[in-house]
Amino acid sequence: MRWNGRDAVTRRMRLRKAEDRAACVQLAGAMMLAAMILVPGSSAAQTSDGTVRAETGRGSIEVAVGHHRGFGAVNAAQLIGGFLDDGIVRGPSVDGMLGGQPIRLAAGSPFIHYGDRTYQLANTPYQNAGTVWIPAELLTDWWPRIRQAANRGTPGALAGGVSADRSAATSIPAKRPSGPFRVIIDPGHGGKDPGTSGRSSREKDIVLAIGKALYRQLQDIPGIEPVLTRDRDVFIGLRDRSSRAVAEDGDLFVSIHANWFRDRRASGFETYFLSMARTDEARDVAVRENASAQYEEDASYADMGDLEFILAGLDRNENVLESHRIAGYVQNSLRGVRGTPDRGVKQAGFWVLVGASGSMPTILCEVGFLSNPDEERVLKSEAGQRQVAQSLARGIVAYRDYLDERWNRVVDESSSQR
């Protein structure tokens, strides 16, 4: 089964073009969350004597550059007053005001919180001999882009940031489906990553079967175009799944998984959206699913500290709010057919959702417990897999219909006011 009916060469070209933009978002990947890594150099003002110069809006600042990690960096303390207003360096963190907006960076994390958005730098702030050093690209590349976007009056258009504008989420969908509503179906794990296991089953096999069944269900529904991140037993890294979702210009990302708990009596289904975990149980589920990163050659992005930093700035992102909504639709649909307990809609930090979350709503479904012999038996059966797929499809279609109705209502209201 191919992902869909498009020409394979065209698909590979689209994937390659979007790879840098999406893979680096992890977040973002962000919450987001797809973002571009901001590579220094395009607007750099670096002088020959080892300093960088930046325009602040009130004038210019010139700061000496250090080279400890193979890239130019500036002493954070030297930014206070000239570049950052009301700034302070506290331990590994740097907080201040820039252009009238609060900004926060931290040694060890490439992510910046600026205003109500999150951005990612190409290089990571660090500490050296007790001093916090900030990549010079902050001054030479990132800040000029921020100022340029602000001067155009379109700060939300800057690649790399994740908006947190509530009004956008409550008045109209962030992205009106153009043509078919494209659903990215992501069967979790695969290849060398088996996921969790039951007595006689592996998560990677169960969720692939459900994913294929969901693909077939959605394929027959007019106006919906399903896309599979994997259609066979192969390993795909967490951020590569998000990259594919963004490359395919998806309208919704659905990652399918199966649960496990040491008490075999645990049962039921739950749907997650990307945000800070509120319970230890939700956090444990995320940790277990994020462990797939151990099978990747380069999983340096999968630091939980970075994830917490990202999520702290995403709680009001428009796609996070929509993700909460679609999670409810899917959970309600599963409730209508499953005889097992409804464990509800929950939130937690899943790396597989981060990279696509800046471009579309993202959810992760735990369809049952393989550690429970009764649920494992159902999930292993073709009838049980078809039942889960049908429920997921109904929830997705209901959400798509809701978006269309909501968009049409807003358009009608706008027309009547002219």
Side-chain angles (χ1 to χ4, degrees):
M1 183 190 301
R2 294 188 304 171
W3 286 350
N4 59 26
R6 296 182 186 180
D7 181 78
V9 175
T10 301
R11 183 178 306 284
R12 286 196 296 271
M13 290 177 63
R14 289 179 61 198
L15 182 60
R16 191 172 298 131
K17 287 171 64 178
E19 198 170 43
D20 286 343
R21 169 166 58 96
C24 294
V25 171
Q26 306 298 328
L27 6 121
M31 310 180 321
M32 103 173 183
L33 254 236
M36 272 181 106
I37 282 187
L38 305 178
V39 179
S42 62
S43 59
Q46 185 154 343
T47 63
S48 59
D49 59 354
T51 64
V52 292
R53 185 168 51 248
E55 297 296 327
T56 65
R58 304 184 308 275
S60 63
I61 178 176
E62 191 166 309
V63 186
V65 177
H67 294 83
H68 310 100
R69 300 286 181 89
F71 58 87
V74 297
N75 185 334
Q78 295 182 2
L79 302 180
I80 307 302
F83 186 68
L84 300 180
D85 297 324
D86 301 322
I88 184 172
V89 180
R90 183 185 296 108
S93 300
V94 181
D95 293 275
M97 298 293 294
L98 178 61
Q101 297 287 333
I103 183 171
R104 183 173 187 271
L105 304 93
S109 172
F111 300 104
I112 307 171
H113 285 169
Y114 181 63
D116 56 5
R117 301 169 70 83
T118 300
Y119 301 87
Q120 183 177 5
L121 295 171
N123 296 298
T124 301
Y126 61 90
Q127 283 186 301
N128 183 62
T131 298
V132 177
W133 292 83
I134 306 298
E137 69 192 87
L138 179 80
L139 283 72
T140 63
D141 190 82
W142 179 82
W143 177 235
R145 294 191 189 195
I146 292 289
R147 292 187 66 209
Q148 184 180 26
N151 290 337
R152 290 198 306 265
T154 56
L158 181 67
V162 182
S163 173
D165 182 2
R166 278 192 184 275
S167 62
T170 55
S171 61
I172 195 168
K175 178 181 175 185
R176 167 64 169 129
S178 176
F181 185 74
R182 191 165 297 145
V183 180
I184 312 300
I185 304 168
D186 175 49
H189 309 282
K192 58 186 176 182
D193 174 15
T196 191
S197 300
R199 287 180 172 177
S200 59
S201 64
R202 298 176 298 186
E203 182 180 4
K204 67 173 185 176
D205 302 322
I206 298 293
V207 298
L208 178 59
I210 293 173
K212 287 182 174 180
L214 176 58
Y215 181 97
R216 293 189 292 270
Q217 290 281 329
L218 296 179
Q219 206 174 23
D220 295 333
I221 299 174
I224 291 184
E225 182 179 1
V227 177
L228 279 165
T229 60
R230 70 178 182 100
D231 58 9
R232 58 194 185 281
D233 185 21
V234 295
F235 175 75
I236 302 176
L238 297 177
R239 59 181 174 179
D240 291 333
R241 295 169 187 266
S242 289
S243 296
R244 291 190 177 186
V246 176
E248 293 292 342
D249 195 26
D251 296 292
L252 174 64
F253 181 79
V254 180
S255 194
I256 305 172
H257 293 260
N259 221 331
W260 183 93
F261 193 65
R262 58 183 176 274
D263 186 342
R264 292 185 177 182
R265 294 172 297 179
S267 62
F269 53 92
E270 53 198 18
T271 308
Y272 285 86
F273 65 98
L274 183 67
S275 193
M276 288 283 195
R278 291 185 174 178
T279 66
D280 290 340
E281 182 182 22
R283 191 173 294 106
D284 289 345
V285 172
V287 168
R288 186 163 59 249
E289 300 297 359
N290 289 341
S292 291
Q294 69 183 293
Y295 297 99
E296 301 182 35
E297 293 183 3
D298 179 14
S300 57
Y301 70 89
D303 179 81
M304 292 305 293
D306 278 349
L307 183 58
E308 292 295 306
F309 189 74
I310 294 166
L311 297 181
L314 296 182
D315 61 334
R316 295 177 297 132
N317 170 258
E318 56 202 28
N319 283 328
V320 172
L321 296 174
E322 285 301 311
S323 298
H324 193 176
R325 193 186 308 276
I326 174 60
Y329 274 93
V330 167
Q331 190 70 10
N332 286 338
S333 182
L334 286 168
R335 183 185 303 123
V337 297
R338 298 297 306 278
T340 54
D342 174 3
R343 301 173 66 89
V345 171
K346 300 180 180 180
Q347 60 189 64
F350 296 91
W351 276 114
V352 72
L353 302 183
V354 168
S357 64
S359 300
M360 67 197 78
T362 60
I363 59 173
L364 184 146
C365 301
E366 295 281 358
V367 297
F369 283 78
L370 292 185
S371 52
N372 182 303
D374 293 333
E375 287 203 348
E376 180 191 22
R377 185 164 48 253
V378 172
L379 293 174
K380 280 180 57 180
S381 70
E382 184 176 341
Q385 293 163 359
R386 185 171 57 250
Q387 182 190 61
V388 172
Q390 289 172 343
S391 299
L392 293 174
R394 277 194 289 270
I396 291 168
V397 171
Y399 175 71
R400 190 279 310 266
D401 292 345
Y402 159 79
L403 283 185
D404 283 344
E405 188 274 334
R406 181 169 148 198
W407 175 271
N408 292 333
R409 185 172 64 248
V410 172
V411 171
D412 292 342
E413 290 175 355
S414 298
S415 299
S416 65
Q417 293 173 1
R418 292 175 182 171

